[in-house]
């Protein structure tokens, strides 16, 4: 599938820089969306080839983690027709307008953005439950991203649907950075390899010959016990097969389901290992060099060993 960009609507600032013939001033500018902006916005797509691996949980947690550090963040649900991000964020009852409404001109972006009640600098743009993925188009997506950039957002998180069809393609098309969420098992790794191929060939950066989208792997539902018994691939196995650095390892935990059911991103459950793993991931996104944690099975105490706990 080819997305034509010749008719793309640019922001006035982008048009001015284009007319001036100047080159992008930074990595973030390479997508063409930040041209002329007074501050730079990074667009991050959270994607995968396989469904059910934790993309929406990851999008919500990364958005919250960045907002906790004072960054102005918008998180957009690209999964048109299914819409789960608002449930994970706990704002489903506050959705009046959605992403498709904005693109079709039924409302303004400011009317559709939902401000998070826990974090003042975090905003959610929900997907439509009543439309299909054909309701999105590259020009509309660009207009929304341009407006968010003009409004001074530091980060835009694009929560992609699974697979390689139109919705996923649009979610990654203008990305500066990609978080490829993968479970450490064969089918998920194989599907992630296909997604990495699209990131290197079917994005705006790739088509224009700019610097490529910066790719990271995030391993979810990782169980050291299952790795030790050969039921699950290790971090090194996945990294070697896909050839991409691992930005985080999220341990397998019932806390993820509990948090989702409560409408609270799991990163806000501060005592959870999962929350700590996502916090580490956010810190790495911001440039910190941290060792990966939760790669070993926790040692059981004496009483647990004695009584099988």
């Amino acid at each position: 599938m080819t997305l034509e960009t010749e008719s793309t609507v640019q922001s006035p600032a982008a048009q001015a820089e284009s007319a001036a013939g100047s080159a992008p001033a930074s990595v973030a500018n390479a997508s063409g969306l930040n041209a002329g902006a007074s501050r730079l916005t990074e667009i991050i797509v959270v994607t995968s080839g396989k469904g059910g691996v934790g993309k929406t949980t990851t999008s919500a947690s990364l958005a919250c983690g960045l907002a906790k550090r004072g960054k102005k963040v918008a998180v957009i649900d690209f999964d048109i027709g299914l819409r789960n991000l608002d449930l994970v964020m706990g704002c489903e009852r506050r959705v009046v307008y959605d992403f498709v409404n904005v693109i079709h001109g039924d409302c303004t972006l400011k009317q559709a953005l939902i401000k998070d009640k826990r974090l003042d600098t975090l905003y959610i743009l929900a997907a439509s439950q009543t439309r299909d993925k054909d309701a999105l188009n590259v020009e509309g997506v660009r207009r929304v991203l341009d407006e968010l950039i003009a409004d001074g957002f530091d980060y835009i998180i694009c929560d992609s649907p699974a697979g390689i069809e139109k919705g996923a393609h649009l979610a990654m098309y203008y990305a500066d950075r990609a978080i490829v969420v993968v479970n450490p098992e064969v089918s998920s790794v194989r599907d992630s390899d296909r997604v990495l191929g699209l990131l290197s060939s079917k994005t705006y950066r790739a088509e224009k010959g700019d610097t490529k989208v910066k790719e990271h792997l995030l391993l979810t539902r990782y169980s050291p016990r299952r790795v030790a018994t050969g039921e699950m691939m290790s971090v090194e196995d996945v990294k070697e097969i896909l050839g991409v650095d691992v930005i985080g390892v999220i341990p397998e935990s019932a806390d993820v389901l509990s948090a989702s059911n409560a409408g609270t991103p799991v990163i806000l459950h501060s005592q959870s290992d999962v929350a700590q793993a996502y916090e580490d991931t956010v810190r790495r996104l911001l440039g910190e060099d941290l060792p990966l944690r939760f790669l070993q099975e926790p040692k059981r105490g004496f009483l647990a060993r004695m009584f099988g706990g």
Side-chain angles (χ1 to χ4, degrees):
M1 174 180 58
T2 301
L3 296 178
E4 299 296 335
T5 60
E6 284 75 11
S7 60
T8 298
V9 177
Q10 291 184 309
S11 65
Q15 292 174 1
E17 176 143 328
S18 177
S22 55
S26 72
V27 172
N29 273 351
S31 67
L33 294 174
N34 271 300
S38 60
R39 58 195 294 184
L40 297 180
T41 302
E42 186 167 48
I43 301 169
I44 302 175
V45 62
V46 178
T47 184
S48 76
K50 184 177 173 63
V53 297
K55 288 185 303 300
T56 298
T57 294
T58 296
S59 296
S61 289
L62 296 184
C64 286
L66 290 166
K68 283 171 63 179
R69 287 159 176 79
K71 308 298 183 182
K72 189 175 181 182
V73 183
V75 56
I76 305 174
D77 191 348
F78 275 78
D79 203 354
I80 308 301
L82 293 178
R83 201 175 95 182
N84 288 314
L85 179 65
D86 55 306
L87 292 172
V88 173
M89 296 296 298
C91 63
E92 70 277 7
R93 295 183 181 180
R94 298 170 59 203
V95 176
V96 178
Y97 295 110
D98 57 50
F99 193 12
V100 173
N101 292 141
V102 178
I103 285 179
H104 289 189
D106 302 323
C107 66
T108 66
L109 178 59
K110 289 187 177 180
Q111 286 176 305
L113 283 174
I114 300 169
K115 186 175 182 178
D116 188 78
K117 290 185 176 180
R118 295 157 298 219
L119 297 161
D120 288 342
T121 58
L122 176 58
Y123 296 80
I124 302 97
L125 182 56
S128 171
Q129 283 186 305
T130 59
R131 306 295 291 271
D132 61 31
K133 292 177 177 59
D134 289 334
L136 295 183
N137 58 72
V138 68
E139 293 86 1
V141 170
R142 176 150 186 165
R143 285 197 303 271
V144 170
L145 297 176
D146 268 335
E147 191 169 343
L148 290 170
I149 290 166
D151 201 26
F153 279 85
D154 298 301
Y155 290 92
I156 302 169
I157 309 292
C158 301
D159 182 25
S160 172
I164 57 175
E165 296 182 355
K166 183 176 181 181
H169 192 188
L170 284 169
M172 71 172 64
Y173 190 64
Y174 287 115
D176 300 304
R177 190 189 296 247
I179 308 296
V180 180
V181 182
V182 55
N183 289 163
E185 49 93 14
V186 173
S187 63
S188 180
V189 171
R190 180 192 61 191
D191 291 347
S192 295
D193 190 42
R194 183 74 184 276
V195 169
L196 289 168
L198 293 178
L199 286 166
S200 65
S201 63
K202 297 294 185 181
T203 61
Y204 185 90
R205 286 170 175 264
E207 291 176 4
K208 298 302 179 185
D210 292 317
T211 55
K212 64 179 290 187
V213 175
K214 190 171 184 179
E215 303 161 346
H216 307 280
L217 297 178
L218 180 74
L219 274 62
T220 54
R221 298 177 181 167
Y222 192 81
S223 169
R225 177 185 58 79
R226 294 175 64 194
V227 171
T229 60
E231 301 173 57
M232 182 175 281
M233 301 169 74
S234 70
V235 172
E236 289 303 318
D237 290 336
V238 176
K239 183 177 176 180
E240 182 177 352
I241 291 170
L242 296 177
V244 177
D245 286 337
V246 175
I247 198 168
V249 176
I250 311 301
E252 190 172 45
S253 173
D255 292 339
V256 174
L257 181 59
S258 299
S260 295
N261 288 339
T264 304
V266 70
I267 196 172
L268 301 180
H269 292 220
S270 57
Q271 301 306 310
S272 165
D273 285 351
V274 174
Q276 294 175 43
Y278 273 121
E279 288 283 4
D280 287 354
T281 303
V282 171
R283 291 171 65 186
R284 294 187 193 102
L285 271 176
L286 294 173
E288 292 189 45
D289 185 12
L290 300 174
L292 295 172
R293 295 197 283 167
F294 310 109
L295 303 185
Q296 305 296 326
E297 187 75 8
K299 293 183 178 180
R300 296 186 300 163
F302 174 76
L303 292 177
R305 294 197 304 271
M306 287 289 294
F307 296 102

